Amino acid sequence: MIRLLLIILIALLIGTGLALGLQYDLGYIRVSLGHYLVETNFWVGLALFVTLVALTVVAINLIRRFRQGTGVVAGWIARGNERRARRRTTQGLLSLAEGNWPRARKLLTSAADKADTPLINYLAAAQAAFESGDHEAVDDLLRRAFESTPGSDLAVGITQAQLQLAGNRLEQALATLIRLRKQSPHHPFVLKLLKNTYLRLEDWRELSRLLPELRKRDVLPEEEFHELEREVWHNLLEQAAEECERARKADPEASLEPLTRLWDELPGFLRRDEYTIRDYARLLARLGDEAQAETLLRKVLRNHWSDELINLYGRIEGQKTDEQLLLAEQWLKDRPNNPELLLALGRLSLRNELWGKAREYFETSLRLRRSREALAELSRLNAHMGEEGLSIKLMMQGLAQDNGLPELPMPRA
């Protein structure tokens, strides 16, 4: 209210001043511009000047408002582009989930430049291109994904490695993952992908070098990790045995040092694992060193009983087969009803040419458990002892058991 009164007061003062000023002749204004000459009364000139200033101010305000209006229009257009990009991105991701690869790739790529997250668009488009079988487009889209977002090297590299693995491009995947591991040595997912790649390449030596890092970073559940460890070292033992076999073909006296050295490298828990011990003993026996295999099994069985290992023990010929039989018979005192031990004793009796004892052990084992091995051993022994009828009967029982034959009426002989 006070402001309005001040404005009215000032306007009245100005009006009064002008009214008084018009009563006096203040002369005229003369402006010369080239060949043009303009003369006017002072008051008219002043009015023209004020009008010119007012028009200039109005023009400046109009220009400023026009510029602001242009920015508003530009912002409105930009927001419209962003909304369309988000809509296309959503439609592209839906098409990707539905398996419509060409449409997904088109929508995601076209929306990438205006999208809030172009990296996601390009990575998803690369997935669609991969599913379509266009590997060149995959590489191009991954490159554009990297260029669109600074610091996305790891995300792009992991996606690239996954697609390479899915496409069975194992060597390329390995190169990608080795590069990523140099950048992020302890990244769990990179380590897991590297593990999968080595597994598929069957590169057991490199995988064995990776095992400590996998354990340290808890990349795998404990049970799965132990299974992987067993598989790795089992295959390394097989490779070492094959190396020894090749060496022995050239030189029958060649040592088993590659295999025995690898055994010494095994983690402690694997050297106490009965399945690993069984594999190692089998390899030693296969390479002709049954004495060393028997010594190993004897030491293990004294402290840790295993039906798997006693079965193998009965198949192996130690340096002194009589002592081997006596030792196994001592174990029988503690395990009189163990069919695997009785089967092993029967085989050890055969090695010592104790035919009657071997037959007794096989029959006792069969009474405790009808196993294919015991039937076959007893049938073979009876055949060599001249009891072909009993041998054939046992063989027929074994065949019936192996093939799950039902009990059916049969004609009399």
Side-chain angles (χ1 to χ4, degrees):
M1 187 70 181
I2 296 174
R3 183 180 298 175
L4 179 60
L5 291 173
L6 287 174
I7 293 173
I8 294 172
L9 180 60
I10 292 170
L12 289 173
L13 291 173
I14 293 173
T16 303
L18 289 174
L20 293 173
L22 289 173
Q23 296 177 3
Y24 300 96
D25 184 8
L26 297 179
Y28 64 93
I29 296 174
R30 181 178 181 181
V31 179
S32 176
L33 184 63
H35 299 291
Y36 299 96
L37 180 65
V38 177
E39 291 184 355
T40 181
N41 183 277
F42 171 79
W43 295 109
V44 175
L46 181 61
L48 290 173
F49 176 75
V50 171
T51 302
L52 179 62
V53 171
L55 290 174
T56 303
V57 171
V58 170
I60 291 172
N61 287 332
L62 288 174
I63 292 171
R64 184 178 299 164
R65 291 194 175 189
F66 178 75
R67 286 182 176 178
Q68 291 176 349
T70 303
V72 170
V73 172
W76 179 77
I77 293 173
R79 285 192 294 273
N81 289 336
E82 291 174 0
R83 285 194 297 271
R84 282 192 293 274
R86 282 195 292 269
R87 186 169 60 252
R88 282 175 170 267
T89 299
T90 302
Q91 292 172 348
L93 292 174
L94 287 173
S95 297
L96 183 67
E98 293 168 358
N100 191 344
W101 319 124
R103 185 170 186 268
R105 175 181 165 188
K106 180 180 179 181
L107 288 169
L108 290 165
T109 306
S110 64
D113 291 338
K114 304 296 182 183
D116 298 329
T117 54
L119 177 65
I120 294 176
N121 285 60
Y122 284 124
L123 293 180
Q127 174 72 36
F130 169 79
E131 297 293 349
S132 299
D134 192 345
H135 295 296
E136 291 185 4
V138 171
D139 295 336
D140 177 63
L141 288 166
L142 290 174
R143 177 186 57 78
R144 292 164 70 180
F146 172 72
E147 293 173 350
S148 70
T149 308
S152 62
D153 188 35
L154 184 61
V156 174
I158 287 175
T159 302
Q160 184 177 30
Q162 287 178 298
L163 295 178
Q164 288 167 339
L165 280 171
N168 207 33
R169 301 157 70 188
L170 301 180
E171 297 294 343
Q172 292 172 306
L174 180 60
T176 301
L177 290 168
I178 289 174
R179 174 176 59 81
L180 291 176
R181 193 184 179 196
K182 288 179 180 177
Q183 297 175 5
S184 302
H186 311 308
H187 195 285
F189 195 53
V190 172
L191 293 173
K192 187 173 184 179
L193 289 175
L194 195 56
K195 180 266 296 183
N196 293 339
T197 306
Y198 283 137
L199 264 178
R200 292 175 61 179
L201 287 169
E202 297 185 354
D203 192 340
W204 307 112
R205 177 51 67 183
E206 287 299 326
L207 194 49
S208 70
R209 296 190 180 104
L210 189 65
L211 286 173
E213 192 69 18
L214 294 175
R215 180 196 293 274
K216 186 176 181 181
R217 304 298 163 188
D218 291 327
V219 174
L220 301 173
E222 186 174 358
E223 185 177 348
E224 184 180 346
F225 177 79
H226 288 319
E227 286 300 319
L228 175 65
E229 208 166 14
R230 286 189 183 92
E231 182 180 5
V232 169
W233 289 104
H234 168 79
N235 283 283
L236 285 173
L237 288 170
E238 286 283 352
Q239 288 180 352
E242 290 172 3
E243 181 183 345
C244 293
E245 283 180 334
R246 289 192 297 269
R248 289 208 160 185
K249 284 181 181 178
D251 179 11
E253 299 300 322
S255 72
L256 302 182
E257 193 266 342
L259 180 60
T260 55
R261 183 181 68 247
L262 185 64
W263 174 256
D264 293 335
E265 294 177 11
L266 259 66
F269 91 94
L270 280 177
R271 294 176 64 182
R272 296 186 296 272
D273 178 68
E274 66 176 88
Y275 300 107
T276 308
I277 294 169
R278 178 200 62 192
D279 292 341
Y280 179 57
R282 281 177 178 173
L283 292 172
L284 288 172
R286 190 177 88 192
L287 293 168
D289 197 346
E290 292 191 58
Q292 185 174 347
E294 188 272 332
T295 301
L296 172 65
L297 292 174
R298 181 173 5 108
K299 290 179 180 178
V300 173
L301 287 167
R302 278 175 177 168
N303 301 308
H304 175 75
W305 185 259
S306 165
D307 286 351
E308 285 267 354
L309 296 184
I310 193 60
N311 184 288
L312 181 58
Y313 188 75
R315 295 169 175 268
I316 290 175
E317 182 178 1
Q319 286 184 333
K320 297 180 179 180
T321 56
D322 55 341
E323 293 182 4
Q324 193 176 351
L325 175 60
L326 288 172
L327 178 63
E329 286 178 333
Q330 290 177 8
W331 293 334
L332 186 63
K333 295 176 183 178
D334 297 325
R335 299 170 181 83
N337 297 318
N338 188 300
E340 287 293 347
L341 176 55
L342 290 164
L343 175 61
L345 282 166
R347 286 167 169 163
L348 293 173
S349 298
L350 290 178
R351 288 197 184 279
N352 287 277
E353 299 183 3
L354 302 173
W355 319 123
K357 181 180 281 193
R359 181 174 179 173
E360 183 180 345
Y361 281 133
F362 290 143
E363 288 174 345
T364 307
S365 177
L366 276 172
R367 281 197 297 272
L368 293 169
R369 187 182 67 194
R370 303 288 291 182
S371 73
R372 180 178 59 185
E373 284 187 81
L375 278 171
E377 289 288 9
L378 185 56
S379 175
R380 179 170 64 171
L381 178 57
N382 282 329
H384 284 82
M385 293 179 71
E387 299 185 19
E388 288 83 1
L390 183 55
S391 174
I392 292 172
K393 182 180 178 181
L394 289 167
M395 191 179 299
M396 293 298 295
Q397 289 177 1
L399 288 171
Q401 180 178 327
D402 290 346
N403 293 282
L405 300 182
E407 291 291 336
L408 296 172
M410 291 291 164
R412 293 176 179 269

